[in-house]
Amino acid sequence: MQLLYFAWVRQSIGTGSEQKKLPENVTNVAGVIDWLRHEGEGYAEAFRDVDQIKFAVNQIFVSLEAPVKDSDEVAFFPPVTGG
Amino acid sequence: MQLLYFAWVRQSIGTGSEQKKLPENVTNVAGVIDWLRHEGEGYAEAFRDVDQIKFAVNQIFVSLEAPVKDSDEVAFFPPVTGG
Amino acid sequence: MTVRLQTEPLDPEVEVRTFRGRLDESGALVTFTGLMRGQDGIREISRMTLEHYPGMTEASLMAIEKEALERWPLDDCLIIHRIGEIMPGEPILLVAIAARHRQQAFKAAEFLIDWLKTKAPFWKYEEDSDGGRWVGARSQDDKLAKRWD
Amino acid sequence: MTVRLQTEPLDPEVEVRTFRGRLDESGALVTFTGLMRGQDGIREISRMTLEHYPGMTEASLMAIEKEALERWPLDDCLIIHRIGEIMPGEPILLVAIAARHRQQAFKAAEFLIDWLKTKAPFWKYEEDSDGGRWVGARSQDDKLAKRWD
């Protein structure tokens, strides 16, 4: 799975993108978050409050229940502040 | 009284401005219109339908009842169409 | 705070660049340019002439600007209106508003134009191959102006 | 119909002049320029950095533009957004909308900005003498965006 992180999510985790093998029991975005939380301190910090995080699967905003598969691009980031 | 006419009011009357002595019995804008209507065919045409005319006394929009005196500048024109 | 009438062609980008150069802590700059259309859906308009009431027109634009400044916290504001002969495609009116935030700038810009269109003494005369006519007031403009009563 | 991201400084007047030069029968041109403010009411901001999501950001701006074109009869539309480092006073965002009449142009401009601010993946990082921080989303922006639901 292609994982992307932006803004302070990126800073907490320490990288902007990485490739990781999706565990077989993980089937949706909420599952990805639970899995990544155990990947290290930076991840735990980034995903501490899921209400502060937005996510996109293949560049489309989705909800926590959205299904994911290993070939997806999944991105995590704070609420947007452009303009 | 300084009289000013704009747009088609000016074209009907044939001049954009003129000085006329205000008759003593004329005290408001409605009276000015009644008076001017009898000053010739162009005036009669210009003031045929008072609903189509706007007026200003000393450069302020006013109603038909607004008082006038001989030293005033009174202007007649169609609804505005700038911008 | 500037109000200007001019017979010369109006260059909106030159004016806006100067206006923007004077801004300090504004976060939002909204501009409106009204352009002369070469047709009104029925006729091809070859030329337009804008008549105004010297003295009253300037005073009325300044009063409208003052009213906008009282209603919203604006940083700066510019109104330039063409008078005289105007050809298709040419800018007729430029309004620029600067404010801290965009909401105030947008509201003030719409307000200024709505009031200008219904309260400032300008009259448009259009010409086509059949001759000329005075443009009538649009009831839509009266409706838009009523938003701000 | 143009969407552009750029790291280079954005010159709104040059862009608007080009945009206006392409117009044909538009009567109304509305522009919005978002400028970087050098202070937020508390701190002096010395620099801002705009991060984005390459690919998704462009697609999202194009989708917002498409939505505007479906909602209003617009003649043309332009969105340019800075990315990377931005200094106080510099333009961050330019939106330009051309339409036959001003009402559609104003509505579409406000809509585009409201959606851009809440749906396009950009993140602002501000720096002052004490260090840096990620700018938080404004609840006011969410409220404004809800107008168009």
Side-chain angles (χ1 to χ4, degrees), chain A:
Chain A
M1 168 171 282
Q2 179 66 37
L3 291 158
L4 299 175
Y5 313 115
F6 295 99
W8 52 256
V9 178
R10 172 176 59 70
Q11 288 189 317
S12 292
I13 292 176
T15 184
S17 75
E18 58 184 346
Q19 190 81 34
K20 276 183 187 279
K21 179 88 191 96
L22 183 69
E24 280 191 9
N25 61 329
V26 176
T27 57
N28 64 17
V29 172
V32 173
I33 292 174
D34 281 340
W35 158 48
L36 290 174
R37 269 188 179 135
H38 299 94
E39 294 290 298
E41 215 173 287
Y43 294 89
E45 170 62 22
F47 295 112
R48 195 163 38 91
D49 182 359
V50 174
D51 287 346
Q52 299 301 312
I53 303 265
K54 303 279 181 184
F55 15 84
V57 172
N58 300 324
Q59 307 196 352
I60 306 286
F61 281 104
V62 293
S63 67
L64 283 168
E65 294 71 37
V68 294
K69 52 188 190 307
D70 192 56
S71 58
D72 287 337
E73 173 178 302
V74 182
F76 296 96
F77 43 77
V80 305
T81 57

Side-chain angles (χ1 to χ4, degrees), chain B residues 25-38:
Chain B
N25 60 330
V26 176
T27 57
N28 65 16
V29 173
V32 174
I33 292 174
D34 281 341
W35 158 47
L36 291 175
R37 268 190 178 131
H38 299 94

Side-chain angles (χ1 to χ4, degrees), chain D:
Chain D
M1 319 296 155
T2 309
V3 160
R4 199 164 82 224
L5 302 182
Q6 63 182 45
T7 47
E8 307 78 48
L10 163 55
D11 187 325
E13 291 80 25
V14 165
E15 302 293 348
V16 173
R17 185 179 296 282
T18 307
F19 181 82
R20 186 165 66 85
R22 283 197 309 256
L23 300 179
D24 184 16
E25 274 302 321
S26 302
L29 166 56
V30 170
T31 76
F32 172 82
T33 305
L35 299 157
M36 185 190 152
R37 296 180 57 203
Q39 48 129 313
D40 63 0
I42 306 165
R43 280 174 288 256
E44 297 279 323
I45 312 299
S46 55
R47 188 166 67 160
M48 182 177 272
T49 308
L50 258 152
E51 185 166 328
H52 76 294
Y53 183 165
M56 182 172 171
T57 304
E58 294 87 334
S60 123
L61 294 179
M62 282 187 274
I64 292 169
E65 194 178 68
K66 188 160 168 284
E67 179 73 25
L69 290 163
E70 277 166 18
R71 292 189 182 207
W72 296 281
L74 307 177
D75 294 333
D76 203 354
C77 160
L78 169 73
I79 305 174
I80 306 177
H81 204 297
R82 285 285 298 281
I83 51 177
E85 277 187 23
I86 299 170
M87 306 307 282
E90 288 186 354
I92 302 171
L93 164 67
L94 172 68
V95 168
I97 308 275
R100 297 296 136 121
H101 299 292
R102 70 189 188 283
Q103 256 190 297
Q104 292 85 8
F106 271 111
K107 275 199 199 304
E110 289 206 77
F111 165 82
L112 276 181
I113 301 157
D114 289 344
W115 270 33
L116 185 155
K117 288 214 171 236
T118 51
K119 292 175 199 279
F122 290 103
W123 302 275
K124 283 183 181 137
Y125 186 76
E126 278 180 356
E127 286 166 88
D128 61 25
S129 51
D130 292 338
R133 79 200 59 77
W134 291 98
V135 174
R138 289 172 71 216
S139 60
Q140 176 66 0
D141 285 331
D142 288 328
K143 217 181 95 191
L144 289 173
K146 285 215 181 4
R147 297 188 278 180
W148 311 105
D149 283 351

Side-chain angles (χ1 to χ4, degrees), chain C residues 9-142:
Chain C
L10 163 56
D11 188 325
E13 291 81 25
V14 165
E15 302 293 348
V16 173
R17 185 179 297 281
T18 307
F19 181 82
R20 185 165 67 84
R22 283 196 310 254
L23 300 179
D24 184 16
E25 274 301 322
S26 303
L29 166 56
V30 170
T31 77
F32 172 82
T33 305
L35 298 158
M36 184 189 153
R37 296 180 58 202
Q39 48 129 315
D40 63 1
I42 306 165
R43 282 173 287 256
E44 297 279 323
I45 312 298
S46 55
R47 187 167 67 161
M48 182 176 271
T49 307
L50 257 152
E51 185 165 328
H52 76 295
Y53 183 164
M56 181 172 171
T57 305
E58 294 87 334
S60 125
L61 294 180
M62 282 187 274
I64 292 169
E65 196 178 68
K66 187 159 169 284
E67 178 73 26
L69 290 162
E70 277 166 19
R71 292 189 182 209
W72 295 282
L74 307 178
D75 294 332
D76 204 354
C77 160
L78 170 73
I79 305 175
I80 305 177
H81 204 297
R82 284 286 298 280
I83 50 178
E85 278 188 22
I86 299 170
M87 306 307 281
E90 288 186 355
I92 301 171
L93 165 67
L94 172 68
V95 168
I97 308 275
R100 296 296 136 120
H101 299 292
R102 71 189 187 283
Q103 255 190 296
Q104 292 87 7
F106 271 111
K107 275 200 200 303
E110 289 206 76
F111 165 82
L112 276 181
I113 301 157
D114 288 345
W115 270 32
L116 185 154
K117 286 211 173 239
T118 51
K119 293 176 198 279
F122 290 104
W123 302 275
K124 284 184 180 135
Y125 186 76
E126 278 179 356
E127 286 167 88
D128 62 23
S129 51
D130 292 339
R133 79 200 59 76
W134 292 98
V135 174
R138 290 172 71 216
S139 59
Q140 176 66 4
D141 285 331
D142 289 328

